[in-house]
Amino acid sequence: MSVHETGKDGAANPLKQLAKYGQSPWLDFIQRSYTANGSLKKLVDEDGLKGVTSNPAIFQKAMGQGTDYDPQIRSILEHQIVDAGTLYEMLAITDIRDAAKVLHPVYEQTKGVDGYVSLEVSPYLARDTQATIVEARRLWKAVDAANLMIKIPGTQEGAPAVRTAIAEGINVNVTLLFSNDAYKKVLEAYIVGLEDRLAQGKSVAGIASVASFFVSRIDVKIDGEIDRRVAAGDRDAAALKALRGKVAIANAKQAYAYWQGVMKSPRWQKLAAAGAMPQRLLWASTGTKDKSFSDVLYVDSLIGEDTVNTIPPKTFDAFRDHGKVAPTLTEDLKGAEQVLAEAKRLGLDLAGVTTVLVDEGVKSFEDAFDELLGSVAAKQAAFVGKKVTTTTLHLPADLDAAVKAELEDWRKDGKVRRLWAKDATLWTGKDEANWLKWLSIVDDQILDLPKFEEFQAEVKARGFRDVLLLGMGGSSLGPEVLSETFGKHEGFPHLYILDSTDPQQVKAFEKKIDIAKTLFIVSSKSGGTLEPNILKAYFFDEAKKVLGDKVGSHFIAVTDPGSHMEAVAKADGFWKIFYGEKQIGGRYSVLSDFGMVPAAAAGLPLRLLLESALRGEKSCAASVPPAQNPGALLGTVLGVAAKSFGRDKVTILASPGIYDMGAWLEQLLAESTGKNGRGLIPIDDETAGPASVYGKDRLFVYLRLAEKPCEKQDAAFKALIAAGEPVVTIELHDRRQIVEEFFRWEFATAVAGSIIGIDAFDQPDVEASKIETKKITTAYNETGRLPPYEPFFKDATFAFYADPKNAAALKDGKTAEGILKAHFARAKAGDYVALLAYIERDTATREWIQGVRLAIRDALKLATAAEFGPRFQHSTGQAYKVGPDTGVFVQITADDAITLPVPGEKYTFGIVKEAQARGDLEVLGERGRRAVRVHIHGDLKSGLEKLGQIIRAAV
């Protein structure tokens, strides 16, 4: 005989002998190689094994170590884009099915009594009845094996799910049972579920269930309390010591006695007569934790008719070797009652212990599931490789420790899952849940891909040479990134973005395009934003002069349903109208039609872009623990750095090939977080310098394009890292991965907003400047002139304006240089300087503003923002007004070289721009911000040159 057939003394195999007393040995273990190499079948054949149970901890050990699962992981990821949770489930289901096949002969031989393999519903659902029911149904259908049991926790919320599952004919293993009270509820749920089926005229035959009663963990708790009291010199020390290792078994015997009584009841006999099988008690957690006890204590002591013991491998081997087989469950029941009575007398709170154990059990399974999913996510990342971006953190030790602590807090509280569940309490508990449609927009767009591909083909067929998008903020910045990153595609028009009211810039774009061969995209979520409306009016009027009655066929609109722009588009006979999602704010809308429509028109590879976006979504999924979740990780770094370390100047530098990414990020970060005196201040495209020019308020983000990096940037960031500066390096292996990063940064911003403690989806002060602008333009329409506006200082070239408080602080300057010197002197460590230029944004002015900002940064050691108006009002403007009060603002305006009318209005584009600049400065003043306006009279080029000299001298 083999060792599997005999114990150490040659007696019959104790595992097989259990059948004599009606007990079925199951194995609390599953592993792919164990099934594949025949080891599981050997236990069935030689040890009488009759079932298998699994749990997250078991799968974590199986999947997180070794290479058993690598071939299937590789195969899945070659053909599908999935999140870590889905990947785990696919692996687990394969294991469960394979084990079920091995055990199916047992299932047939025992007529459905045994031969089961158990698969657990997500531990995260232990306190959610309805979600547990949905998950049980889904897993039951997915595995599709008659000898499957779905594990449902025996929590207060789990019991109703058990009833529903049984009523639907799903086999159930009820887990995490510690107390008799909880067990009674679970047994009742099983019986009522069967009665529900009978009431529906359905058969109750063939439905199996076990109630997993956890044993050894009770003794660990009780014995720990006994040892503590004995060590403290408790007067009942002897009585306490006599109970060590006995309470859990007594508790189990009491449960079995209750079960026996129920089985004799007329109620059960009626169900049995209809073919129902009893719900057997299954003893779980039967490995001995206390080395002073027998290593088979919780097998030897719990043998009885119609029971199951799911045994861990080590205990399984030990019981085979020296287990003792006898009907112990029904032995000395009076002694068991006395043990429980004595425990009560001595104040050993069994009820309290079992309550705690349920909570701890739920938490430990959650922790194990987190660890499992983290392992799967890590393996997934390794296999996916360069198909996704790579993030490397170089953080000072204190910041690194704080980030890790915050990530652990997010893990423990399930905050990533709560975010996906749209739990508004992650932020302010208001209406945040209504603004999270961006979480699922990628899936929607993939389903809608034929719509975009059809439009793309139509654009190509019509032979447009140019596409001009007219929009602001969230409607224009994402498309601008796509245009600047991918350029013109063969056979498709060139995509241009116009987001300015500067008359010179409007005219410059008009000259770039051939109106007769241009498709105009009027893009506005609300439909009421001033700039896209007047730009539409201007270009529609100009196009009509060229195209006549066909003008509408050259215009499309992207707007939210029911907007003013929708009505305009219909009235003017636009070719097409595409709709946004009302539950997506503008700055989160790049993956909605606001980004996809211009991408399609420009001939970009839509499927590949959406697949990249989907990788971003899946990598940030609810199933991916925070430490492995790139969105949660980045958001935690952003939030903790700002909130706890004052590093709120998020300094973004990108490789030249993806340089414009920062323009989109500016709006996302600033408008989402800059409010209530808090938030992130994005610093975009500030050329990297030595560590000596930076303060302690910086967090650096390097968006590195691996296929075409910049050597100077690489060297600069290497030096910053060496100097101990906090640097987040995000490596994009392909330009298309900017779309993956779109989703990742949206997710990160939501996470950072939660940590900072603000609503990341509202914009409480965006309208302020718009309201002031409207007052001024309305006044102009009514009177034909602008309201009076007097400078507090002027010379031959410059005029300086400010609100009374700022003017008073600067009036002693006497000269232009003196005023700016006094203004910059108000800046202190941790502040930033923002240049807000309401002038044409072209190569020359961008080079000028970049040079000036760097001079300011290097002289003052302060962060600098270089912005053009009015576009920044729809981007960083809110953060400047109601974010951290650390900004020192210099607004720059100039005389316009041309006058450009707005059709249907008395005001011109120049008047609108002037109104916007005035309104912006007025609101900055109202908010108590340090701001001054300098207006250049005469030639812009020479005026900027002179202003640059003065600023350099002033700092």
Side-chain angles (χ1 to χ4, degrees):
M1 296 175 74
S2 74
V3 70
H4 286 273
E5 294 170 336
T6 64
K8 67 179 181 179
D9 58 359
N13 184 340
L15 289 164
K16 280 196 165 185
Q17 293 299 308
L18 289 172
K20 291 182 180 180
Y21 298 100
Q23 185 168 79
S24 300
W26 288 10
L27 184 68
D28 197 23
F29 176 77
I30 192 167
Q31 186 171 320
R32 180 158 300 185
S33 59
Y34 200 76
T35 304
N37 67 18
S39 296
L40 182 64
K41 186 175 186 302
K42 190 173 184 180
L43 296 185
V44 172
D45 294 342
E46 299 184 6
D47 287 323
L49 180 71
K50 289 186 168 62
V52 166
T53 53
S54 68
N55 62 47
I58 290 170
F59 273 122
Q60 195 283 323
K61 290 174 184 174
M63 294 181 187
Q65 303 163 13
T67 60
D68 283 2
Y69 296 83
D70 290 2
Q72 188 182 3
I73 292 173
R74 184 179 292 109
S75 176
I76 291 169
L77 297 179
E78 281 175 358
H79 301 97
Q80 298 180 59
I81 300 172
V82 297
D83 63 276
T86 301
L87 180 57
Y88 146 73
E89 195 172 282
M90 295 170 82
L91 301 174
I93 285 174
T94 299
D95 281 359
I96 296 295
R97 284 176 176 161
D98 290 346
K101 288 176 185 175
V102 172
L103 286 159
H104 195 263
V106 177
Y107 174 77
E108 290 187 324
Q109 290 161 13
T110 61
K111 295 183 169 52
V113 173
D114 275 309
Y116 291 95
V117 182
S118 297
L119 177 62
E120 189 149 7
V121 298
S122 168
Y124 305 140
L125 306 178
R127 303 295 186 188
D128 189 330
T129 301
Q130 192 55 42
T132 296
I133 292 169
V134 171
E135 177 98 333
R137 290 170 181 152
R138 188 179 62 77
L139 292 175
W140 177 253
K141 184 177 180 181
V143 176
D144 191 26
N147 58 329
L148 170 71
M149 278 190 175
I150 301 296
K151 289 180 82 171
I152 295 176
T155 56
Q156 191 74 29
E157 299 83 358
V162 171
R163 172 182 175 175
T164 300
I166 293 299
E168 294 181 10
I170 297 171
N171 302 325
V172 177
N173 176 342
V174 189
T175 186
L176 284 179
L177 293 171
F178 295 92
S179 74
N180 274 274
D181 286 344
Y183 168 60
K184 291 173 183 177
K185 291 175 183 176
V186 162
L187 180 55
E188 176 68 12
Y190 175 67
I191 292 171
V192 175
L194 293 174
E195 290 171 338
D196 290 343
R197 279 187 72 81
L198 278 182
Q200 297 165 19
K202 296 177 181 177
S203 171
V204 294
I207 299 170
S209 180
V210 293
S212 295
F213 208 87
F214 283 54
V215 188
S216 66
R217 294 189 196 182
I218 292 176
D219 276 347
V220 169
K221 285 282 188 190
I222 294 289
D223 292 355
E225 175 63 9
I226 289 172
D227 293 346
R228 185 192 67 78
R229 286 173 59 179
V230 169
D234 194 292
R235 65 180 183 181
D236 291 316
L240 286 164
K241 284 195 283 186
L243 293 181
R244 290 188 90 260
K246 295 179 179 178
V247 173
I249 293 169
N251 191 47
K253 287 186 174 184
Q254 190 177 67
Y256 186 66
Y258 177 79
W259 174 84
Q260 287 180 311
V262 171
M263 291 301 100
K264 294 173 183 175
S265 69
R267 184 184 180 193
W268 174 254
Q269 291 301 315
K270 179 182 177 182
L271 289 168
M277 293 191 292
Q279 181 191 60
R280 294 182 294 171
L281 272 160
L282 177 149
W283 311 121
S285 182
T286 53
T288 305
K289 309 294 193 291
D290 189 325
K291 301 303 180 187
S292 67
F293 299 148
S294 162
D295 57 358
V296 291
L297 172 67
Y298 300 107
V299 184
D300 282 353
S301 306
L302 297 171
I303 301 170
E305 190 74 23
D306 282 326
T307 60
V308 177
N309 197 316
T310 188
I311 311 170
K314 188 175 179 180
T315 308
F316 200 90
D317 289 341
F319 190 78
R320 179 198 301 116
D321 181 69
H322 50 266
K324 294 182 175 60
V325 182
T328 48
L329 260 179
T330 51
E331 289 178 354
D332 194 19
L333 294 182
K334 278 195 173 182
E337 290 174 6
Q338 288 172 355
V339 166
L340 295 176
E342 183 71 348
K344 186 175 181 180
R345 182 186 73 80
L346 292 170
L348 296 172
D349 183 12
L350 179 58
V353 164
T354 56
T355 299
V356 169
L357 282 170
V358 171
D359 292 337
E360 289 183 351
V362 169
K363 188 68 177 67
S364 69
F365 276 8
E366 285 182 352
D367 290 346
F369 206 42
D370 282 344
E371 191 175 355
L372 163 61
L373 292 174
S375 298
V376 172
K379 282 218 169 194
Q380 180 176 12
F383 277 104
V384 170
K386 293 182 179 180
K387 289 182 180 179
V388 295
T389 60
T390 306
T391 301
T392 307
L393 304 181
H394 290 95
L395 305 177
D398 53 353
L399 176 55
D400 184 59
V403 166
K404 286 175 179 173
E406 185 68 26
L407 287 169
E408 178 61 9
D409 178 68
W410 271 67
R411 186 197 67 78
K412 285 181 176 178
D413 287 352
K415 290 183 180 179
V416 171
R417 296 190 298 278
R418 287 170 56 193
L419 196 158
W420 278 94
K422 303 181 180 180
D423 180 354
T425 62
L426 274 177
W427 298 281
T428 67
K430 296 177 183 175
D431 71 341
E432 288 92 341
N434 296 333
W435 296 99
L436 294 169
K437 186 68 176 69
W438 55 269
L439 285 168
S440 59
I441 191 63
V442 177
D443 304 87
D444 296 342
Q445 299 297 60
I446 288 173
L447 292 174
D448 262 355
L449 186 58
K451 172 186 79 175
F452 298 116
E453 290 175 334
E454 181 182 347
F455 169 61
Q456 189 172 64
E458 289 176 314
V459 169
K460 186 176 185 179
R462 288 188 60 180
F464 291 112
R465 196 194 82 174
D466 304 305
V467 174
L468 181 58
L469 185 145
L470 312 172
M472 299 298 292
S475 300
S476 62
L477 292 170
E480 180 184 282
V481 174
L482 297 174
S483 174
E484 293 295 312
T485 302
F486 297 109
K488 186 181 184 305
H489 279 241
E490 185 66 33
F492 285 92
H494 192 295
L495 174 62
Y496 295 101
I497 314 295
L498 178 55
D499 60 352
S500 178
T501 55
D502 180 87
Q504 291 78 214
Q505 191 158 345
V506 175
K507 199 66 182 176
F509 272 81
E510 184 181 354
K511 290 177 180 177
K512 283 183 182 180
I513 64 172
D514 179 348
I515 285 180
K517 295 180 179 178
T518 297
L519 174 64
F520 297 90
I521 302 176
V522 187
S523 189
S524 174
K525 267 192 71 65
S526 68
T529 305
L530 174 65
E531 295 94 336
N533 274 281
I534 63 175
L535 288 169
K536 177 268 168 188
Y538 179 79
F539 282 101
F540 195 85
D541 195 58
E542 293 300 306
K544 193 168 186 178
K545 296 172 185 175
V546 176
L547 299 166
D549 292 341
K550 295 180 180 178
V551 61
S553 67
H554 279 241
F555 280 74
I556 67 172
V558 187
T559 190
D560 279 356
S563 74
H564 168 71
M565 187 57 68
E566 178 188 18
V568 169
K570 287 179 177 178
D572 286 340
F574 278 24
W575 177 30
K576 292 179 183 291
I577 302 174
F578 292 89
Y579 292 102
E581 291 279 352
K582 286 191 173 184
Q583 291 187 319
I584 300 178
R587 58 188 178 271
Y588 291 87
S589 68
V590 64
L591 297 172
S592 73
D593 284 21
F594 287 95
M596 288 301 297
V597 169
L604 301 190
L606 303 177
R607 182 175 294 280
L608 291 175
L609 290 178
L610 284 173
E611 285 178 354
S612 179
L614 188 63
R615 291 189 191 280
E617 177 202 312
K618 298 305 181 186
S619 67
C620 296
S623 64
V624 185
Q628 289 78 31
N629 186 309
L633 178 64
L634 176 60
T636 300
V637 173
L638 294 171
V640 170
K643 182 180 179 181
S644 302
F645 294 85
R647 292 187 177 273
D648 59 352
K649 313 304 186 302
V650 183
T651 305
I652 304 159
L653 272 170
S655 295
I658 53 171
Y659 85 94
D660 201 51
M661 188 75 175
W664 176 79
L665 285 172
E666 275 192 316
Q667 184 199 18
L668 178 68
L669 294 174
E671 200 167 276
S672 297
T673 68
K675 57 200 74 170
N676 306 330
R678 287 173 276 178
L680 305 173
I681 301 298
I683 305 298
D684 173 38
D685 201 30
E686 187 190 63
T687 307
S692 59
V693 302
Y694 299 114
K696 295 300 181 185
D697 57 344
R698 302 280 195 144
L699 173 70
F700 296 93
V701 178
Y702 181 22
L703 298 169
R704 185 179 188 273
L705 184 60
E707 65 182 18
K708 200 172 182 182
C710 170
E711 290 183 8
K712 287 184 178 179
Q713 287 180 335
D714 282 352
F717 275 98
K718 186 176 181 181
L720 288 173
I721 291 167
E725 294 290 342
V727 176
V728 178
T729 303
I730 300 172
E731 192 154 37
L732 289 77
H733 308 286
D734 182 287
R735 289 170 197 256
R736 287 193 298 268
Q737 290 177 342
I738 61 167
V739 187
E740 174 191 339
E741 287 299 307
F742 282 154
F743 187 93
R744 189 260 196 97
W745 277 91
E746 288 172 354
F747 198 90
T749 301
V751 171
S754 173
I755 293 169
I756 293 168
I758 47 86
D759 179 347
F761 313 106
D762 68 350
Q763 43 276 335
D765 214 63
V766 165
E767 297 300 317
S769 292
K770 296 180 183 178
I771 291 168
E772 293 305 316
T773 298
K774 188 169 180 60
K775 286 180 186 177
I776 297 168
T777 54
T778 300
Y780 187 92
N781 266 354
E782 291 173 352
T783 65
R785 60 181 182 273
L786 288 167
Y789 195 51
E790 293 299 322
F792 68 87
F793 172 85
K794 63 181 177 180
D795 61 18
T797 308
F798 305 113
F800 286 82
Y801 300 84
D803 64 282
K805 184 178 178 182
N806 275 302
L810 304 175
K811 63 181 173 61
D812 294 335
K814 306 302 183 186
T815 64
E817 182 182 327
I819 289 168
L820 289 172
K821 192 176 188 69
H823 189 49
F824 291 131
R826 298 200 281 174
K828 58 187 184 299
D831 286 346
Y832 64 98
V833 175
L835 304 176
L836 312 176
Y838 285 80
I839 58 178
E840 182 179 1
R841 182 175 180 265
D842 59 16
T843 302
T845 56
R846 290 170 72 179
E847 287 179 356
W848 176 86
I849 203 170
Q850 186 73 349
V852 172
R853 78 177 310 183
L854 293 179
I856 294 170
R857 179 199 68 185
D858 294 351
L860 301 181
K861 310 296 189 287
L862 298 179
T864 60
E867 304 289 353
F868 285 85
R871 80 184 229 147
F872 81 85
Q873 287 190 12
H874 300 263
S875 174
T876 53
Q878 175 182 274
Y880 294 163
K881 296 175 183 69
V882 292
D885 187 9
T886 51
V888 175
F889 303 98
V890 180
Q891 187 187 87
I892 301 163
T893 59
D895 293 340
D896 289 320
I898 63 172
T899 300
L900 204 62
V902 176
E905 303 290 352
K906 290 182 181 179
Y907 55 70
T908 63
F909 277 95
I911 295 298
V912 169
K913 184 180 68 165
E914 172 66 16
Q916 290 174 315
R918 288 193 190 186
D920 184 38
L921 191 68
E922 186 168 336
V923 175
L924 284 169
E926 288 175 356
R927 301 294 186 271
R929 305 292 154 133
R930 293 160 287 177
V932 66
R933 172 184 177 180
V934 54
H935 182 84
I936 299 170
H937 288 294
D939 178 63
L940 177 63
K941 183 178 178 182
S942 59
L944 286 175
E945 186 176 346
K946 186 174 181 180
L947 179 60
Q949 292 169 356
I950 291 171
I951 290 174
R952 285 178 171 87
V955 297

